[in-house]
Amino acid sequence: MTDAPGLHPDTGGPGSLLDLRTPCALVDRAILDRNTERMAARATRLDVRLRPHVKTHTCVPAARLQVRGHFGGITVSTLAEARYFAEAGFGDITHAFPFPMAAIEDAVRIAHKIERLTLLVDQESTLEALDAFCLSRGERFSVMLKVDCGYHRAGVDPRGDEGIALALRLASSPHLEFGGILAHAGHAYACRDADEIRTVAAQERDVTVEFGARLRAEGLEVPEVSIGSTPTIGLADDLEGVTEVRPGNYAFHDVFQATIGTCALDDVAFSVLASVVGRYPDRGALIVDAGALALSKDPGPVHVDPDCGFGVVVSEDGRERHGDLRVVSLSQEHGVIRGAGIERFPVGSRLRILPNHSCLAAASFDRYRIVNGDEIVDEWRPVRGW
Amino acid sequence: MTDAPGLHPDTGGPGSLLDLRTPCALVDRAILDRNTERMAARATRLDVRLRPHVKTHTCVPAARLQVRGHFGGITVSTLAEARYFAEAGFGDITHAFPFPMAAIEDAVRIAHKIERLTLLVDQESTLEALDAFCLSRGERFSVMLKVDCGYHRAGVDPRGDEGIALALRLASSPHLEFGGILAHAGHAYACRDADEIRTVAAQERDVTVEFGARLRAEGLEVPEVSIGSTPTIGLADDLEGVTEVRPGNYAFHDVFQATIGTCALDDVAFSVLASVVGRYPDRGALIVDAGALALSKDPGPVHVDPDCGFGVVVSEDGRERHGDLRVVSLSQEHGVIRGAGIERFPVGSRLRILPNHSCLAAASFDRYRIVNGDEIVDEWRPVRGW
C-alpha cells in the first residue's frame, strides 16, 4: 500500500525520520513507557486491577507495556481486536461493547483459544439469545452487565429495577458466568478541568459501587466492579469498592486529554509527521500533507478551546512546540496550519502534529514508527477492521 | 483483518446481506451506474473532457465506470492512488495535490509506466527543485499550475503577478511540459442551495478562464483549463472556456451533497450497514455498531442543517427512509441513533446509514460490497494509505 521504509532501507536497522515519507504515524517510545508506567503504578496505588483498553493503538507491543506489573487482562472494543490479541497470547480479554449476537460464532472461536473471553450485555433479548445459544451448543461465557454511570450511552439504569432483574437472570443461568458489572464515564470528556474530572470520577465510582451493593443485597456475588476512562482513572483519588479499571487512551494521550487537564502536552506519545507542501504568506497559512485521512475530523475539546482546530504543531524531532501553530482546517489530504511564525517553515519542512484524538488518528495508519527523538527504533503494526 | 464473508461462503457466488457481518460498506450498483452515467453525459453536453477524481472510492471498477464514454484520464489525490491506478492500466493520471519533492522518486517510477503523470505546483521552490531534478536526471514531467479560484486553500492568486511569473518560468523549462491550469471550488461546500452553487460554479469557471486569458496574453499556450467539484460541475449551466472537469464525489454522493442541493438522498450510492446492539426507549435512542471508525466524524452540512448529525438511516435493503432517524453522536465504535420510531427496531435489526461524507466513510473500509437491493453482486477492494 505504501513503500515508505520503516527501518533503514540499506542496513535493515533503525533509520532516521529523514527516511520516512509523509504523512506517517510516530510513537515516542520514552513517552509511551512513562505513560504506561504511571498508569500501572496508579492502579497499584489505588489497589485495583488494571485491565487496560487497547483500542487506542490496537497493537501487541503497546498492550504488553500497558499490562506490565498487572495480571495481563485487557479490554477490546471489536472482535477483530479480540481475535488478534488472543492469537498474540493475551489470555483474558473483555469485549467492552454491547454484544452483537450475529457475531457469536466468532466469539466462540476466540473463547476456545484463551482462558476467558468476557462479553458485555445490557439488553434482555441479547441475554436470552446468548443463554439459549449456550444451552443448545454446550458453550459457556463469562458475561458482565453494562451499567450506565451517567454517560447515558449504553448500560442499564443503576437506580431502576431492570438492571437488577437482568443481573439475577444472568446469574441464574447455568451456561453463563456472571462476571460482575462494568461502567465507563465517557462524560468525563465533557469536563473542562481536573476538578470537574474528579467529580465525574467520584460519580463513576459511586454509582457503580452502589449498584454492586444493590446486587449483593439481592444475594448476588459480584466478582468484578469495573470502571474507567483515562480522565477518571488518571485523576481519581480513591477507588474504594472498585476492583478493576479500564483506561486506554493514556498510552498515547492527545490534545483533548491535555486540554481538559488529564495530562500535559509533553505526555502526548502519538503524532503524525507531515511535510509542508505549500506556504502562503498572504493568506497566513501553510498546507501540509496530513489531512482528514491522517488526523481524523474529531473536533477536539471545543467546549474548552473553541479555536482548538485539529492538531498542535511541534518540531520534527518532537522537542519544541511551535508557538501557537495549529491545524485549523482539514480536507481529505490537505491540512491547513495557521499561527504566528509560519514564515519559518519553507516548503519541504517537516512537522509533527499532535492530534485531537489519538485513537482516531492512529486508526488511519497501517503501521507506527516507534521513535526516540529523530531515530526510528522499531515499527509496530496494529490490527484494523471488525 | 476480518473474516466476514464477501461472497456466499458455500457457493462462492453472490450472497445476501444476511451473510454480512456489520459494520460493512455497501455500494448500490444501480445508483453508482446512474450517477456515473449522468456525470459523463453532463460533461459531454457541456463540451468538456471528464477527468474524474477517484479519491472518493479509490477502486478500479468504480473508476472504470466514471471514465466510460470519455478519454480515460483520471485525477488522484495521493501517489499511492497514482501507483495503484497506473498498475491497473490507467494511462493518464493527474496528481491533484501540491507536489511534495520528497516523493519525486515515486513519481518517476509511476511516470515511466504510463503515458502521462501530471504533477501540480503552485510554489516557486517546488518548481525550481523539480526543474533541477529533471535536468540532472534527464526526466520530463507534465506540470499544471494550481490556481486559487476562491477557496483560498492552495493555488496562486489569479489576479496577482506571481502566478503569471510562475507559469512563464514553468513554460520556459525544457524539462517540464506546461500542462495548463487547474482550480477546485472547494468553497462550493459552503453553499446552502443550488442557486448558491451555480454562483460559485460561475466564479470557478470565470476566474480560471480569465487567468488562462492572462497567460495567453503573455504568449503562453494553455493546453488545459481544468476545474471542478461535484457541486459545481453537477449544476453548472455553461463551461465556455473550460476544457476539462474533475468532479469525484458524485460517484457515491452523500448526505452533504443532498443537503446542499447537488443530488437527492436517493442518489447516495454508498452506505454503511450496521446492526442495532442496544435499544433504550427511556433515552429515546438506539445504539448501532457503526461508530466514528466506520462513518468518520465529518460534521456534515451544519451550515444548512445544524442538527444533521452523522448520518441518515434507511432500511436494510436501502429502499425505505426511516422517518427522521439520524445518527446523532459517535464514539469510536458506537453510533447513537435518535428520532421517531426507534421502537420499531429491536436489537439485532440491521440498518443502512448514509454518511455525511462518503469519501471519509468509504476510507474506513478495506472492501466494499456491491449490492443490488439485498443481493451482493460483487466485492471491490480500494487502495489505502500514501
mmCIF file with all atom_site columns, all heavy atoms in Angstrom, chain A residues 108-129:
data_model
loop_
_atom_site.group_PDB
_atom_site.id
_atom_site.type_symbol
_atom_site.label_atom_id
_atom_site.label_alt_id
_atom_site.label_comp_id
_atom_site.label_asym_id
_atom_site.label_entity_id
_atom_site.label_seq_id
_atom_site.pdbx_PDB_ins_code
_atom_site.Cartn_x
_atom_site.Cartn_y
_atom_site.Cartn_z
_atom_site.occupancy
_atom_site.B_iso_or_equiv
_atom_site.pdbx_formal_charge
_atom_site.auth_seq_id
_atom_site.auth_comp_id
_atom_site.auth_asym_id
_atom_site.auth_atom_id
_atom_site.pdbx_PDB_model_num
ATOM 1   N N   . VAL A 1 108 ? -17.196 -17.589 19.957 1.00 0.00 ? 108 VAL A N   1
ATOM 2   C CA  . VAL A 1 108 ? -16.920 -18.971 20.382 1.00 0.00 ? 108 VAL A CA  1
ATOM 3   C C   . VAL A 1 108 ? -15.494 -19.366 19.993 1.00 0.00 ? 108 VAL A C   1
ATOM 4   O O   . VAL A 1 108 ? -14.739 -19.911 20.804 1.00 0.00 ? 108 VAL A O   1
ATOM 5   C CB  . VAL A 1 108 ? -17.943 -19.946 19.753 1.00 0.00 ? 108 VAL A CB  1
ATOM 6   C CG1 . VAL A 1 108 ? -17.499 -21.395 19.937 1.00 0.00 ? 108 VAL A CG1 1
ATOM 7   C CG2 . VAL A 1 108 ? -19.331 -19.725 20.367 1.00 0.00 ? 108 VAL A CG2 1
ATOM 8   N N   . ARG A 1 109 ? -15.142 -19.078 18.756 1.00 0.00 ? 109 ARG A N   1
ATOM 9   C CA  . ARG A 1 109 ? -13.802 -19.444 18.287 1.00 0.00 ? 109 ARG A CA  1
ATOM 10  C C   . ARG A 1 109 ? -12.712 -18.785 19.136 1.00 0.00 ? 109 ARG A C   1
ATOM 11  O O   . ARG A 1 109 ? -11.717 -19.404 19.478 1.00 0.00 ? 109 ARG A O   1
ATOM 12  C CB  . ARG A 1 109 ? -13.614 -19.048 16.808 1.00 0.00 ? 109 ARG A CB  1
ATOM 13  C CG  . ARG A 1 109 ? -14.214 -20.046 15.827 1.00 0.00 ? 109 ARG A CG  1
ATOM 14  C CD  . ARG A 1 109 ? -13.745 -19.748 14.390 1.00 0.00 ? 109 ARG A CD  1
ATOM 15  N NE  . ARG A 1 109 ? -14.326 -18.508 13.876 1.00 0.00 ? 109 ARG A NE  1
ATOM 16  C CZ  . ARG A 1 109 ? -15.506 -18.442 13.258 1.00 0.00 ? 109 ARG A CZ  1
ATOM 17  N NH1 . ARG A 1 109 ? -16.227 -19.534 13.078 1.00 0.00 ? 109 ARG A NH1 1
ATOM 18  N NH2 . ARG A 1 109 ? -15.958 -17.287 12.817 1.00 0.00 ? 109 ARG A NH2 1
ATOM 19  N N   . ILE A 1 110 ? -12.918 -17.520 19.445 1.00 0.00 ? 110 ILE A N   1
ATOM 20  C CA  . ILE A 1 110 ? -11.911 -16.811 20.249 1.00 0.00 ? 110 ILE A CA  1
ATOM 21  C C   . ILE A 1 110 ? -11.882 -17.371 21.676 1.00 0.00 ? 110 ILE A C   1
ATOM 22  O O   . ILE A 1 110 ? -10.820 -17.639 22.239 1.00 0.00 ? 110 ILE A O   1
ATOM 23  C CB  . ILE A 1 110 ? -12.199 -15.291 20.267 1.00 0.00 ? 110 ILE A CB  1
ATOM 24  C CG1 . ILE A 1 110 ? -12.089 -14.723 18.846 1.00 0.00 ? 110 ILE A CG1 1
ATOM 25  C CG2 . ILE A 1 110 ? -11.248 -14.563 21.217 1.00 0.00 ? 110 ILE A CG2 1
ATOM 26  C CD1 . ILE A 1 110 ? -12.735 -13.352 18.671 1.00 0.00 ? 110 ILE A CD1 1
ATOM 27  N N   . ALA A 1 111 ? -13.066 -17.583 22.245 1.00 0.00 ? 111 ALA A N   1
ATOM 28  C CA  . ALA A 1 111 ? -13.148 -18.061 23.635 1.00 0.00 ? 111 ALA A CA  1
ATOM 29  C C   . ALA A 1 111 ? -12.466 -19.412 23.799 1.00 0.00 ? 111 ALA A C   1
ATOM 30  O O   . ALA A 1 111 ? -11.875 -19.696 24.846 1.00 0.00 ? 111 ALA A O   1
ATOM 31  C CB  . ALA A 1 111 ? -14.610 -18.132 24.070 1.00 0.00 ? 111 ALA A CB  1
ATOM 32  N N   . HIS A 1 112 ? -12.546 -20.246 22.761 1.00 0.00 ? 112 HIS A N   1
ATOM 33  C CA  . HIS A 1 112 ? -11.930 -21.576 22.858 1.00 0.00 ? 112 HIS A CA  1
ATOM 34  C C   . HIS A 1 112 ? -10.407 -21.506 22.886 1.00 0.00 ? 112 HIS A C   1
ATOM 35  O O   . HIS A 1 112 ? -9.755  -22.461 23.287 1.00 0.00 ? 112 HIS A O   1
ATOM 36  C CB  . HIS A 1 112 ? -12.384 -22.453 21.683 1.00 0.00 ? 112 HIS A CB  1
ATOM 37  C CG  . HIS A 1 112 ? -13.791 -22.940 21.856 1.00 0.00 ? 112 HIS A CG  1
ATOM 38  N ND1 . HIS A 1 112 ? -14.403 -23.778 20.965 1.00 0.00 ? 112 HIS A ND1 1
ATOM 39  C CD2 . HIS A 1 112 ? -14.721 -22.697 22.817 1.00 0.00 ? 112 HIS A CD2 1
ATOM 40  C CE1 . HIS A 1 112 ? -15.642 -24.039 21.360 1.00 0.00 ? 112 HIS A CE1 1
ATOM 41  N NE2 . HIS A 1 112 ? -15.858 -23.384 22.488 1.00 0.00 ? 112 HIS A NE2 1
ATOM 42  N N   . LYS A 1 113 ? -9.861  -20.394 22.427 1.00 0.00 ? 113 LYS A N   1
ATOM 43  C CA  . LYS A 1 113 ? -8.405  -20.264 22.342 1.00 0.00 ? 113 LYS A CA  1
ATOM 44  C C   . LYS A 1 113 ? -7.775  -19.749 23.611 1.00 0.00 ? 113 LYS A C   1
ATOM 45  O O   . LYS A 1 113 ? -6.563  -19.861 23.785 1.00 0.00 ? 113 LYS A O   1
ATOM 46  C CB  . LYS A 1 113 ? -8.043  -19.269 21.228 1.00 0.00 ? 113 LYS A CB  1
ATOM 47  C CG  . LYS A 1 113 ? -8.091  -19.844 19.855 1.00 0.00 ? 113 LYS A CG  1
ATOM 48  C CD  . LYS A 1 113 ? -7.545  -18.815 18.862 1.00 0.00 ? 113 LYS A CD  1
ATOM 49  C CE  . LYS A 1 113 ? -7.939  -19.228 17.457 1.00 0.00 ? 113 LYS A CE  1
ATOM 50  N NZ  . LYS A 1 113 ? -8.101  -18.100 16.579 1.00 0.00 ? 113 LYS A NZ  1
ATOM 51  N N   . ILE A 1 114 ? -8.574  -19.072 24.435 1.00 0.00 ? 114 ILE A N   1
ATOM 52  C CA  . ILE A 1 114 ? -7.973  -18.367 25.574 1.00 0.00 ? 114 ILE A CA  1
ATOM 53  C C   . ILE A 1 114 ? -8.654  -18.767 26.879 1.00 0.00 ? 114 ILE A C   1
ATOM 54  O O   . ILE A 1 114 ? -9.659  -19.490 26.883 1.00 0.00 ? 114 ILE A O   1
ATOM 55  C CB  . ILE A 1 114 ? -8.016  -16.836 25.394 1.00 0.00 ? 114 ILE A CB  1
ATOM 56  C CG1 . ILE A 1 114 ? -9.464  -16.323 25.327 1.00 0.00 ? 114 ILE A CG1 1
ATOM 57  C CG2 . ILE A 1 114 ? -7.232  -16.422 24.149 1.00 0.00 ? 114 ILE A CG2 1
ATOM 58  C CD1 . ILE A 1 114 ? -9.565  -14.808 25.255 1.00 0.00 ? 114 ILE A CD1 1
ATOM 59  N N   . GLU A 1 115 ? -8.113  -18.280 27.958 1.00 0.00 ? 115 GLU A N   1
ATOM 60  C CA  . GLU A 1 115 ? -8.631  -18.604 29.279 1.00 0.00 ? 115 GLU A CA  1
ATOM 61  C C   . GLU A 1 115 ? -10.030 -18.035 29.495 1.00 0.00 ? 115 GLU A C   1
ATOM 62  O O   . GLU A 1 115 ? -10.930 -18.705 29.973 1.00 0.00 ? 115 GLU A O   1
ATOM 63  C CB  . GLU A 1 115 ? -7.666  -17.999 30.315 1.00 0.00 ? 115 GLU A CB  1
ATOM 64  C CG  . GLU A 1 115 ? -7.879  -18.439 31.733 1.00 0.00 ? 115 GLU A CG  1
ATOM 65  C CD  . GLU A 1 115 ? -6.977  -17.632 32.668 1.00 0.00 ? 115 GLU A CD  1
ATOM 66  O OE1 . GLU A 1 115 ? -5.899  -17.181 32.209 1.00 0.00 ? 115 GLU A OE1 1
ATOM 67  O OE2 . GLU A 1 115 ? -7.367  -17.448 33.834 1.00 0.00 ? 115 GLU A OE2 1
ATOM 68  N N   . ARG A 1 116 ? -10.205 -16.768 29.125 1.00 0.00 ? 116 ARG A N   1
ATOM 69  C CA  . ARG A 1 116 ? -11.507 -16.156 29.347 1.00 0.00 ? 116 ARG A CA  1
ATOM 70  C C   . ARG A 1 116 ? -11.767 -14.996 28.379 1.00 0.00 ? 116 ARG A C   1
ATOM 71  O O   . ARG A 1 116 ? -10.988 -14.054 28.319 1.00 0.00 ? 116 ARG A O   1
ATOM 72  C CB  . ARG A 1 116 ? -11.600 -15.601 30.783 1.00 0.00 ? 116 ARG A CB  1
ATOM 73  C CG  . ARG A 1 116 ? -12.981 -15.032 31.116 1.00 0.00 ? 116 ARG A CG  1
ATOM 74  C CD  . ARG A 1 116 ? -12.901 -14.019 32.230 1.00 0.00 ? 116 ARG A CD  1
ATOM 75  N NE  . ARG A 1 116 ? -12.255 -14.566 33.393 1.00 0.00 ? 116 ARG A NE  1
ATOM 76  C CZ  . ARG A 1 116 ? -12.891 -14.957 34.503 1.00 0.00 ? 116 ARG A CZ  1
ATOM 77  N NH1 . ARG A 1 116 ? -14.188 -14.834 34.593 1.00 0.00 ? 116 ARG A NH1 1
ATOM 78  N NH2 . ARG A 1 116 ? -12.202 -15.440 35.531 1.00 0.00 ? 116 ARG A NH2 1
ATOM 79  N N   . LEU A 1 117 ? -12.881 -15.136 27.645 1.00 0.00 ? 117 LEU A N   1
ATOM 80  C CA  . LEU A 1 117 ? -13.388 -14.009 26.859 1.00 0.00 ? 117 LEU A CA  1
ATOM 81  C C   . LEU A 1 117 ? -14.667 -13.558 27.539 1.00 0.00 ? 117 LEU A C   1
ATOM 82  O O   . LEU A 1 117 ? -15.620 -14.330 27.645 1.00 0.00 ? 117 LEU A O   1
ATOM 83  C CB  . LEU A 1 117 ? -13.682 -14.425 25.413 1.00 0.00 ? 117 LEU A CB  1
ATOM 84  C CG  . LEU A 1 117 ? -14.355 -13.345 24.558 1.00 0.00 ? 117 LEU A CG  1
ATOM 85  C CD1 . LEU A 1 117 ? -13.400 -12.176 24.285 1.00 0.00 ? 117 LEU A CD1 1
ATOM 86  C CD2 . LEU A 1 117 ? -14.852 -13.922 23.227 1.00 0.00 ? 117 LEU A CD2 1
ATOM 87  N N   . THR A 1 118 ? -14.689 -12.343 28.026 1.00 0.00 ? 118 THR A N   1
ATOM 88  C CA  . THR A 1 118 ? -15.878 -11.826 28.709 1.00 0.00 ? 118 THR A CA  1
ATOM 89  C C   . THR A 1 118 ? -16.681 -10.945 27.759 1.00 0.00 ? 118 THR A C   1
ATOM 90  O O   . THR A 1 118 ? -16.113 -10.065 27.095 1.00 0.00 ? 118 THR A O   1
ATOM 91  C CB  . THR A 1 118 ? -15.461 -11.023 29.952 1.00 0.00 ? 118 THR A CB  1
ATOM 92  O OG1 . THR A 1 118 ? -14.796 -11.894 30.863 1.00 0.00 ? 118 THR A OG1 1
ATOM 93  C CG2 . THR A 1 118 ? -16.670 -10.419 30.643 1.00 0.00 ? 118 THR A CG2 1
ATOM 94  N N   . LEU A 1 119 ? -17.972 -11.230 27.689 1.00 0.00 ? 119 LEU A N   1
ATOM 95  C CA  . LEU A 1 119 ? -18.870 -10.442 26.836 1.00 0.00 ? 119 LEU A CA  1
ATOM 96  C C   . LEU A 1 119 ? -19.663 -9.476  27.699 1.00 0.00 ? 119 LEU A C   1
ATOM 97  O O   . LEU A 1 119 ? -19.773 -9.652  28.924 1.00 0.00 ? 119 LEU A O   1
ATOM 98  C CB  . LEU A 1 119 ? -19.822 -11.370 26.072 1.00 0.00 ? 119 LEU A CB  1
ATOM 99  C CG  . LEU A 1 119 ? -19.167 -12.508 25.287 1.00 0.00 ? 119 LEU A CG  1
ATOM 100 C CD1 . LEU A 1 119 ? -20.229 -13.339 24.568 1.00 0.00 ? 119 LEU A CD1 1
ATOM 101 C CD2 . LEU A 1 119 ? -18.138 -11.973 24.303 1.00 0.00 ? 119 LEU A CD2 1
ATOM 102 N N   . LEU A 1 120 ? -20.249 -8.489  27.043 1.00 0.00 ? 120 LEU A N   1
ATOM 103 C CA  . LEU A 1 120 ? -20.979 -7.439  27.749 1.00 0.00 ? 120 LEU A CA  1
ATOM 104 C C   . LEU A 1 120 ? -22.432 -7.442  27.293 1.00 0.00 ? 120 LEU A C   1
ATOM 105 O O   . LEU A 1 120 ? -22.692 -7.483  26.091 1.00 0.00 ? 120 LEU A O   1
ATOM 106 C CB  . LEU A 1 120 ? -20.336 -6.106  27.371 1.00 0.00 ? 120 LEU A CB  1
ATOM 107 C CG  . LEU A 1 120 ? -20.568 -4.931  28.291 1.00 0.00 ? 120 LEU A CG  1
ATOM 108 C CD1 . LEU A 1 120 ? -19.993 -5.241  29.657 1.00 0.00 ? 120 LEU A CD1 1
ATOM 109 C CD2 . LEU A 1 120 ? -19.905 -3.691  27.697 1.00 0.00 ? 120 LEU A CD2 1
ATOM 110 N N   . VAL A 1 121 ? -23.356 -7.393  28.232 1.00 0.00 ? 121 VAL A N   1
ATOM 111 C CA  . VAL A 1 121 ? -24.769 -7.252  27.844 1.00 0.00 ? 121 VAL A CA  1
ATOM 112 C C   . VAL A 1 121 ? -25.445 -6.168  28.680 1.00 0.00 ? 121 VAL A C   1
ATOM 113 O O   . VAL A 1 121 ? -25.036 -5.893  29.815 1.00 0.00 ? 121 VAL A O   1
ATOM 114 C CB  . VAL A 1 121 ? -25.589 -8.561  28.010 1.00 0.00 ? 121 VAL A CB  1
ATOM 115 C CG1 . VAL A 1 121 ? -25.049 -9.677  27.133 1.00 0.00 ? 121 VAL A CG1 1
ATOM 116 C CG2 . VAL A 1 121 ? -25.682 -8.982  29.454 1.00 0.00 ? 121 VAL A CG2 1
ATOM 117 N N   . ASP A 1 122 ? -26.445 -5.558  28.081 1.00 0.00 ? 122 ASP A N   1
ATOM 118 C CA  . ASP A 1 122 ? -27.354 -4.688  28.830 1.00 0.00 ? 122 ASP A CA  1
ATOM 119 C C   . ASP A 1 122 ? -28.773 -4.813  28.287 1.00 0.00 ? 122 ASP A C   1
ATOM 120 O O   . ASP A 1 122 ? -29.639 -4.031  28.660 1.00 0.00 ? 122 ASP A O   1
ATOM 121 C CB  . ASP A 1 122 ? -26.884 -3.227  28.817 1.00 0.00 ? 122 ASP A CB  1
ATOM 122 C CG  . ASP A 1 122 ? -26.963 -2.596  27.431 1.00 0.00 ? 122 ASP A CG  1
ATOM 123 O OD1 . ASP A 1 122 ? -27.278 -3.291  26.452 1.00 0.00 ? 122 ASP A OD1 1
ATOM 124 O OD2 . ASP A 1 122 ? -26.702 -1.383  27.327 1.00 0.00 ? 122 ASP A OD2 1
ATOM 125 N N   . GLN A 1 123 ? -28.994 -5.798  27.382 1.00 0.00 ? 123 GLN A N   1
ATOM 126 C CA  . GLN A 1 123 ? -30.293 -5.988  26.738 1.00 0.00 ? 123 GLN A CA  1
ATOM 127 C C   . GLN A 1 123 ? -30.817 -7.374  27.099 1.00 0.00 ? 123 GLN A C   1
ATOM 128 O O   . GLN A 1 123 ? -30.102 -8.369  26.939 1.00 0.00 ? 123 GLN A O   1
ATOM 129 C CB  . GLN A 1 123 ? -30.140 -5.892  25.216 1.00 0.00 ? 123 GLN A CB  1
ATOM 130 C CG  . GLN A 1 123 ? -29.556 -4.587  24.728 1.00 0.00 ? 123 GLN A CG  1
ATOM 131 C CD  . GLN A 1 123 ? -30.544 -3.435  24.792 1.00 0.00 ? 123 GLN A CD  1
ATOM 132 O OE1 . GLN A 1 123 ? -31.668 -3.553  24.300 1.00 0.00 ? 123 GLN A OE1 1
ATOM 133 N NE2 . GLN A 1 123 ? -30.151 -2.339  25.430 1.00 0.00 ? 123 GLN A NE2 1
ATOM 134 N N   . GLU A 1 124 ? -32.068 -7.416  27.524 1.00 0.00 ? 124 GLU A N   1
ATOM 135 C CA  . GLU A 1 124 ? -32.673 -8.698  27.879 1.00 0.00 ? 124 GLU A CA  1
ATOM 136 C C   . GLU A 1 124 ? -32.667 -9.657  26.686 1.00 0.00 ? 124 GLU A C   1
ATOM 137 O O   . GLU A 1 124 ? -32.373 -10.847 26.835 1.00 0.00 ? 124 GLU A O   1
ATOM 138 C CB  . GLU A 1 124 ? -34.116 -8.481  28.370 1.00 0.00 ? 124 GLU A CB  1
ATOM 139 C CG  . GLU A 1 124 ? -34.709 -9.722  28.991 1.00 0.00 ? 124 GLU A CG  1
ATOM 140 C CD  . GLU A 1 124 ? -36.175 -9.531  29.398 1.00 0.00 ? 124 GLU A CD  1
ATOM 141 O OE1 . GLU A 1 124 ? -36.680 -8.388  29.289 1.00 0.00 ? 124 GLU A OE1 1
ATOM 142 O OE2 . GLU A 1 124 ? -36.794 -10.529 29.811 1.00 0.00 ? 124 GLU A OE2 1
ATOM 143 N N   . SER A 1 125 ? -32.983 -9.133  25.505 1.00 0.00 ? 125 SER A N   1
ATOM 144 C CA  . SER A 1 125 ? -33.078 -10.015 24.338 1.00 0.00 ? 125 SER A CA  1
ATOM 145 C C   . SER A 1 125 ? -31.718 -10.646 24.010 1.00 0.00 ? 125 SER A C   1
ATOM 146 O O   . SER A 1 125 ? -31.652 -11.808 23.606 1.00 0.00 ? 125 SER A O   1
ATOM 147 C CB  . SER A 1 125 ? -33.615 -9.249  23.124 1.00 0.00 ? 125 SER A CB  1
ATOM 148 O OG  . SER A 1 125 ? -32.723 -8.206  22.767 1.00 0.00 ? 125 SER A OG  1
ATOM 149 N N   . THR A 1 126 ? -30.651 -9.880  24.182 1.00 0.00 ? 126 THR A N   1
ATOM 150 C CA  . THR A 1 126 ? -29.315 -10.437 23.936 1.00 0.00 ? 126 THR A CA  1
ATOM 151 C C   . THR A 1 126 ? -29.000 -11.520 24.959 1.00 0.00 ? 126 THR A C   1
ATOM 152 O O   . THR A 1 126 ? -28.471 -12.592 24.622 1.00 0.00 ? 126 THR A O   1
ATOM 153 C CB  . THR A 1 126 ? -28.247 -9.321  24.009 1.00 0.00 ? 126 THR A CB  1
ATOM 154 O OG1 . THR A 1 126 ? -28.559 -8.323  23.054 1.00 0.00 ? 126 THR A OG1 1
ATOM 155 C CG2 . THR A 1 126 ? -26.853 -9.873  23.746 1.00 0.00 ? 126 THR A CG2 1
ATOM 156 N N   . LEU A 1 127 ? -29.335 -11.246 26.209 1.00 0.00 ? 127 LEU A N   1
ATOM 157 C CA  . LEU A 1 127 ? -29.078 -12.215 27.276 1.00 0.00 ? 127 LEU A CA  1
ATOM 158 C C   . LEU A 1 127 ? -29.825 -13.526 27.009 1.00 0.00 ? 127 LEU A C   1
ATOM 159 O O   . LEU A 1 127 ? -29.257 -14.621 27.137 1.00 0.00 ? 127 LEU A O   1
ATOM 160 C CB  . LEU A 1 127 ? -29.495 -11.607 28.618 1.00 0.00 ? 127 LEU A CB  1
ATOM 161 C CG  . LEU A 1 127 ? -29.225 -12.455 29.848 1.00 0.00 ? 127 LEU A CG  1
ATOM 162 C CD1 . LEU A 1 127 ? -27.744 -12.800 29.959 1.00 0.00 ? 127 LEU A CD1 1
ATOM 163 C CD2 . LEU A 1 127 ? -29.689 -11.707 31.106 1.00 0.00 ? 127 LEU A CD2 1
ATOM 164 N N   . GLU A 1 128 ? -31.102 -13.410 26.623 1.00 0.00 ? 128 GLU A N   1
ATOM 165 C CA  . GLU A 1 128 ? -31.887 -14.618 26.352 1.00 0.00 ? 128 GLU A CA  1
ATOM 166 C C   . GLU A 1 128 ? -31.303 -15.384 25.170 1.00 0.00 ? 128 GLU A C   1
ATOM 167 O O   . GLU A 1 128 ? -31.201 -16.616 25.202 1.00 0.00 ? 128 GLU A O   1
ATOM 168 C CB  . GLU A 1 128 ? -33.349 -14.253 26.059 1.00 0.00 ? 128 GLU A CB  1
ATOM 169 C CG  . GLU A 1 128 ? -34.106 -13.651 27.255 1.00 0.00 ? 128 GLU A CG  1
ATOM 170 C CD  . GLU A 1 128 ? -34.183 -14.596 28.459 1.00 0.00 ? 128 GLU A CD  1
ATOM 171 O OE1 . GLU A 1 128 ? -34.017 -15.826 28.277 1.00 0.00 ? 128 GLU A OE1 1
ATOM 172 O OE2 . GLU A 1 128 ? -34.382 -14.102 29.589 1.00 0.00 ? 128 GLU A OE2 1
ATOM 173 N N   . ALA A 1 129 ? -30.918 -14.661 24.137 1.00 0.00 ? 129 ALA A N   1
ATOM 174 C CA  . ALA A 1 129 ? -30.366 -15.326 22.940 1.00 0.00 ? 129 ALA A CA  1
ATOM 175 C C   . ALA A 1 129 ? -29.030 -15.999 23.266 1.00 0.00 ? 129 ALA A C   1
ATOM 176 O O   . ALA A 1 129 ? -28.748 -17.107 22.805 1.00 0.00 ? 129 ALA A O   1
ATOM 177 C CB  . ALA A 1 129 ? -30.191 -14.302 21.815 1.00 0.00 ? 129 ALA A CB  1
#
